[in-house]
Each structure stands twice: as structure tokens, then as C-alpha cells.
Amino acid sequence: MDYFVVLAGVALLLGVGVLYVLSGVQVIGENESGLIIKKFGAPLPPGRLVALEGEAGYQAELLPPGWHFGYPFWRFKVTRVPVVVVRQGHIALVVANGGAPIPPGCILGREVACDGFQDARAFLEGGGQKGRQLAFLTAGTYRINPALFTVITPENAERFDMDVEDLEIFSVGPDKVGIVTTLDGRPIPAGDLAGVPVEGHDSFQSAQRFLDAGGCRGLQEQVLLSGSWNLNPWFVRVEQIPMTEVPIGYVGVVVSYVGREHLDVSGDEFTHGDLVERGRKGVWIEPLLPGKHPLNTRVMKVELVPTTNIVLNWAQRTEQHKYDEKLSPITVRSRDGFSFMLDVSQIIHISMKQAPRVISRVGSMQNLVDHVLQPTVANYFRNSAQQVTVLEFLSARTDRQREAYEAIRGALGAYDVECIDTLVGDIQPPAELMKTQTDRKIAEELQRTYEVQREAQVRRRELERATAVANMQPEVVRSEQMVAISEKGALAAEETAKGEAARTRLHADAEAHGLRQRAEAEAESKRLHGSAEAEATRLVGEAKAEAYRTGVAALGAQAFTAVQLATVLAQHGVKLVPEIALGQEGGGGQGLLGALMARVLQNEQKPQVLQRPVKPASGNGVENVHKQA
């Protein structure tokens, strides 16, 4: 019984095996595809690698996952191939091993609808071309026939001489723009620098739509903005550059070398350049305001024009903007043949609306400085200096500066540049001329100093004289008082004499009866005698007073007083030089002891002088004072 069961099982297994082999069952896994190779059949047409009509060879369709019947081993060979997986953040490139040839002038196979290269039949029947493809695979899983397509992924990039970075999604950083160069398309028309923008290609992510719209190969006018882009590295190359920044205080004048046809909009009055609308070839009439702008600097230029005041120095110093870096002090020649240098500062202003006109006329700010301001300012001062001498130029510097401002303002106005001010700085006249002027000035200052010193000496002398006079005022007052005393003394003596005469006359009258004749004679005699003495005394006093006033008027109060004092001292034997001099012990002098001895001996030898009363009514008051002294 068991034996028959075993035989039945073996027979069943053999039947199943024979049925499996005869039915050609193929089991395909979940992450696999079945590549079918037909061993027998009609031969493939020349140049074709994949069979579309059941020919022998690789078949266009793949077996999906699951069980498949009808592929016996003697007729078919089924090879299991893995699915293609493209990771996030990457793309995969495709090379078609079969298809129509790529037309001359093209380097990439055109894109056809083939479900991301998963439908080989649709690719071939739709006119797919052999070689590198414009279309590429984005992130996902694909079942692609490896007999018809070679897929380049980051995992096998090195085998195809590519870098993994080439298969990454391209990212344009913030504050940057991408300059695009396409590697396929029609040639750029003659005279154009870059391909004109075309619509519908989704920022170069759809290469086929770009070509269908007439896009040109080479440098593109259109740029890529910040973001991530699925780009075929066989189709485009992207260079990242910073966005064009216009700082505060500037405007950007765009000079475009690409764009629509040139059409001047500057007007008939502007005959020195052309201005165009934004997007056309030429100088844009609307400048860029401060900020960041996504411009393609490979096909256009942005000239920054300051809208604040610009200071330009014809001197050894240079401003931060560096426009005056090549400027130097201006050498001029005066009317009298002297050469000298002068520093000049020119302040200009360009308004926002006039900036495009200025750039259209001169090309750049540096050209404005080198080709307009430099010759205008330098030639004006050279011409101006030849009309005057060096000294006249120095002395009339303010006038020269004002005239320069008026002349330069008119010249710059023709270039749509506003002249704010013209300033004349340091003037370096000839050294030999300035030496003579310096010497002359020093001499003048010395002469003035001497005059001031002389005046000071005169004032000092007057001061000293006034001081001496002030110091002598006590003596003058004393002398005046002594004169007054003398006059009063003379008057007192006169009155005394009159009193005596009256008294004598009254006494004589009392004795008149007895001795009338004698008394009258005696009284008359005494009266006459008293009158004579009074008159004499009065005349002597008046004479002395007159003599004193005359002496004061002739010699001065102080000198005359000194003379009178010396006379009085001489009359009374008073010596002005002392007879006894004190000196140091052991020297030529006498010393203190010797002086005392000499004084004692002098007193012993001095005769006794009797004091006599001073007669108040006789002589000058000054003499009486001296005698009393």
C-alpha cells in the first residue's frame, strides 16, 4: 500500500514538472522584470535591436511581476532584470541603443511619448532616436528594457565617465542667478550674442519644448532664478553668479547687448546717444533702483551711477569711489611766466532721470571723469591762470573760484551733469617767488615792530616823566606854601609897621599940649621913618616874591627849590658831604669806634653859637624858615 502511494506521488511530481516545462511558466518577482529573448523566428530588420513583430531576438515587451505561461525553454529565454530606481534629489539619463538616427545638427535624441522609456514599442514606433536622449528620468521606479535603453544613475555614473553631482537636481542658491548655456538647438543668428527667450520650456526643464519653440544653442538671454530645477546635463550647463546689486545712493543704468530690435525713445532734442525701452537692445531709459536684480551680466552691463553728490579731487588724495584715482594737481602757467600747481575739488550731481542720458553719451562714469571733467576743469584753470600773474591769482583766489564755478557749470550742463561747486584748494606757487615775498613781508613786519617798539619807548619816557612829576608834587606843594607864607609874612610886617606908627601918633597926640612942636616934629619924623621902613620892607618882600616866581618859571619848581635849599645850607655852613664815613673793620674806612671818636672831637672843637631871635618883619619867609631850621 505504501509502495503505491510513493509511486503515485512521484508520478504526480513528474507530471507537474513535465506540465511546467511543457507550458513554459515564468515567475517574475516584485522588483524584477522579465526580458524575453525569442530563439526562433523571422530575422530582425537591419539596424533594429528589438523585435516588434515577433522576430527572433530581444522582444520589446517585458514581463511584469507574476506568473506567466507560454514561454517554453526551447523557444524563449527569459532573463530577470532589476527595476530602475532613481533616488530623491537625483535624475537618471537614458541612452537609446536602437531607434532612428539623430538628424545632422542635433546631438540628442528627441523626446517621444513612451511612458518614461518603459514602453519600448511606443518609443520605436513613435520615432525615437538612437543615442543620448533629451528626456530623462526623475525620482521613481521604472521597468525599462535594458536591451533597448541604457540608464545612467548615480550608482553607475562612474562607468560612463560622469560625476554623481551631474545627476543631482540643480539648485540655484539665494541671491544668485543661473547663466544658462544650451548644448543643442538651432544656431544663434548672426549678430546676436545669445539666444532669444522662448516660451513653454519650463525654465529649460523641458528640452524638447525648448527646441520645438525655436530655441538656440549657446548662451541664453534668459536666466534661472533661485530654486531647484530638473535639468539634463547633456542639454544645459548652468553657471551661478550673484544677483546684480544696486546700493543705496546709486541707480543702475542697463546697457543690454541682446533684446528686441533697437528703437530710440530719447527724443529729437537728445542727439548724443540712444535710449530704448526695457527689454530692447541698447541703453535702457529706465534705470534700476536700489536693490538686487536677477540680470544676465554675460549679455548686459549695469553701470552704477551715484545719485548723491560726487567729489572729485585734482590732488594727491583720492575719494572712496576711486573715480578720481587718475587725477593729479593741475599745473598752470601765469601771465608772468611762472609755473605752479593748484589743487581743485569739483562737486557734481547726476539725477536719477538723467543717469541713462549721461551713460548713453559717455559710456560710463569713469569715461565721464576722464573724457569730460578732466579736460574741462584742467583747461579752464590753465586758461584762467594765463590772464593774471601769480600774485594776482593768489590774492584774487575767491574771484577765481567763483568764475570757475560759473564756467564749469555751463560746460557740464551740456552733458546733463549738475555742477554743485568748484573749490580751489592748496596753491603751490614757485618757491623762489614766494621767498622774495616772504622776505618782503618779514621786512615789513620788522619795520612795523620797530615802529611799535619806538612808540612804546616814547610812551615809556612820557610815563616816567609823569611819574617823576607826580613824585615831585609834595615838594611843589611845599614850595608853593612857602611862597604863600613869605607873602603873608610881608603883609604881617607891613601891618605891624602901620600899627606902630598909629600907636606912636596917638602917644604923640596925648603929649601934644606940652610938647606940641617937639612932639609934632618927633611924631612926624617917626611917622616918616616908619613909613619908609614899611615901604622898604614891602618892596623887598615883593621883589623876593617876584624873584621866586621868576626862578620857578625858569627852572621849574623842583629845581629852583633845590637851588634855594643849597644856598641856604651854604649860608649856614651845613656840609652836604659828611665828614665822617663808616666802613668795614680792617678796610679803608674808619669803623664804628673811629666814627664815634671823630664825632666827640668835632663837638669839642665846635664854637658855641648864641641863638638870636628871628625878626619876623624883615626878609623873606623862606629865609626865616631856613634860619629857624
Side-chain angles (χ1 to χ4, degrees), residues 538-598:
R538 185 182 63 81
L539 292 176
V540 171
E542 289 179 355
K544 288 184 178 182
E546 182 65 22
Y548 183 82
R549 284 193 294 269
T550 304
V552 171
L555 300 178
Q558 182 179 7
F560 182 74
T561 303
V563 170
Q564 290 287 54
L565 182 60
T567 303
V568 172
L569 294 177
Q571 290 176 356
H572 289 78
V574 180
K575 296 181 180 181
L576 296 177
V577 179
E579 294 177 350
I580 303 171
L582 294 179
Q584 296 181 354
E585 293 293 339
Q590 292 178 342
L592 180 59
L593 182 57
L596 294 175
M597 293 299 295

Side-chain angles (χ1 to χ4, degrees), residues 572-575 579 598-611 629:
H572 289 78
V574 180
K575 296 181 180 181
E579 294 177 350
R599 186 64 178 177
V600 171
L601 292 176
Q602 184 180 9
N603 292 333
E604 292 178 354
Q605 296 174 0
K606 184 175 180 181
Q608 296 295 325
V609 180
L610 295 178
Q611 299 290 332

Side-chain angles (χ1 to χ4, degrees), residues 36-55:
I36 304 172
I37 304 174
K38 189 175 182 181
K39 297 181 179 180
F40 305 103
L44 291 170
R48 179 175 293 179
L49 297 178
V50 177
L52 296 177
E53 303 297 336
E55 298 92 348

Side-chain angles (χ1 to χ4, degrees), residues 53 107 171 214 413 498 589 629:
E53 303 297 336
I107 61 173
S171 297
K498 291 180 179 180

